[in-house]
């Protein structure tokens, strides 16, 4: 990636309330013995293109210190997890900027997407290396979408040109930091990094991804992730 380094941030301070478990979902074990977070880190930190990583964890996290990746040579630091995901990412960026240049790239990846494939991330990095802003992994929507009000269908949403956003999402460090600072300053709310960039008026690139790059939110997702690993 010519002169620009590529770094990784993983926000991993969520509580996973929808999983109905005392253990935060990123620390639940997969059938292969890895935690969900460790599996995500294993895939991404093994990539030569990634120079270093910052993981955002909650103040009372008692799990990450037992992870084999706690002492990984590419782990630059941990950052303090925030109230919302974007607060955690901003805290991690503020830590990362001590190790990186503003024009360097950062990949932000959900801790709970353990099925991420190296080839998808390599494609993201390769397709974006000369892009001025950045982009995201995403998959085309294939199901018919319905808008619902009071449990009744209000209308069908045209699915052409609709994509489901995934992670990693890859942007220039300085630009993403500025975009997230604006969200916080405006007391706004976003659900992914791309939305913060879009609010500054920038267009981002969509890079095709695998449908197996699922986000583990419910217990059924954990079963599906295990299925993908057992199949590979």
């Amino acid at each position: 990636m010519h002169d620009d380094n590529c770094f990784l941030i993983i926000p991993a301070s969520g509580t996973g309330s929808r999983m109905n478990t005392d253990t935060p979902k990123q620390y639940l074990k997969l059938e292969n013995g890895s935690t969900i977070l460790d599996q995500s880190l294993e895939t991404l930190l093994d990539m030569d293109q990634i120079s270093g990583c910052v993981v955002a964890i909650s103040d009372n996290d008692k799990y990450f210190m037992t992870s084999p990746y706690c002492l990984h040579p590419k782990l630059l630091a941990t950052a303090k997890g925030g109230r919302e995901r974007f607060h955690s990412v901003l805290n991690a960026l503020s830590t990362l900027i001590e190790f990186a240049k503003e024009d360097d790239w950062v990949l932000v990846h959900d801790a709970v997407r353990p099925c991420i494939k190296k080839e998808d991330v390599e494609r993201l990095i390769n397709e974006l290396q000369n892009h001025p802003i950045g982009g995201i992994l995403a998959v085309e929507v294939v199901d018919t979408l319905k808008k619902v009000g009071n449990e009744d269908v209000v209308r069908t949403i045209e699915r052409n040109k609709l994509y489901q956003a995934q992670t990693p999402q890859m942007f220039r460090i300085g630009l993403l930091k500025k975009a997230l600072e604006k969200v916080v300053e405006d007391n706004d709310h976003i659900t992914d990094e791309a939305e913060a960039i879009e609010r500054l008026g920038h267009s981002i690139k969509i890079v095709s991804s695998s449908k197996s790059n699922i986000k583990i939110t419910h217990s059924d997702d954990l079963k599906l992730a295990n299925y993908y690993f057992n199949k590979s």
Side-chain angles (χ1 to χ4, degrees), residues 26-195:
Q26 63 272 25
Y27 294 114
L28 293 175
K29 286 272 181 85
L30 295 161
E31 285 175 3
N32 66 6
S34 278
T35 66
I36 292 168
L37 172 59
D38 283 351
Q39 184 62 57
S40 303
L41 286 166
E42 179 181 332
T43 302
L44 294 167
L45 292 184
D46 195 44
M47 295 181 63
D48 292 339
Q49 297 96 322
I50 291 179
S51 306
C53 171
V54 175
V55 178
I57 56 176
S58 67
D59 276 343
N60 55 1
D61 185 301
K62 57 183 188 288
Y63 301 94
F64 189 64
M65 67 179 75
T66 67
S67 163
Y69 294 94
C70 183
L71 299 172
H72 194 281
K74 284 188 183 178
L75 182 72
L76 303 172
T78 57
K80 182 178 177 178
R83 191 175 76 246
E84 301 285 348
R85 172 206 162 86
F86 62 90
H87 294 116
S88 297
V89 174
L90 183 54
N91 289 347
L93 282 168
S94 299
T95 301
L96 178 59
I97 207 73
E98 297 170 28
F99 303 90
K101 304 190 301 289
E102 291 213 341
D103 278 348
D104 284 337
W105 290 104
V106 62
L107 295 166
V108 183
H109 185 62
D110 294 327
V112 290
R113 286 189 191 268
C115 303
I116 182 64
K117 292 179 176 176
K118 274 187 200 172
E119 54 263 37
D120 287 339
V121 183
E122 283 167 356
R123 186 166 55 255
L124 179 73
I125 291 171
N126 291 337
E127 288 197 24
L128 291 178
Q129 61 178 347
N130 295 315
H131 197 277
I133 307 300
I136 66 173
L137 286 180
V139 291
E140 277 187 273
V141 170
V142 294
D143 295 318
T144 299
L145 296 175
K146 304 289 186 184
K147 184 172 175 65
V148 175
N150 296 326
E151 298 185 8
D152 294 322
V153 173
V154 176
R155 64 187 171 92
T156 299
I157 295 170
E158 179 59 54
R159 72 181 175 215
N160 287 350
K161 299 186 179 173
L162 285 185
Y163 281 77
Q164 288 173 263
Q166 295 183 347
T167 68
Q169 303 198 346
M170 178 173 160
F171 298 103
R172 303 279 181 183
I173 291 173
L175 178 63
L176 182 56
K177 189 166 179 285
K178 176 184 168 188
L180 291 175
E181 283 169 347
K182 179 98 170 58
V183 171
V184 172
E185 185 186 315
D186 294 347
N187 201 20
D188 238 330
H189 189 277
I190 54 166
T191 55
D192 71 352
E193 291 68 50
E195 189 177 355

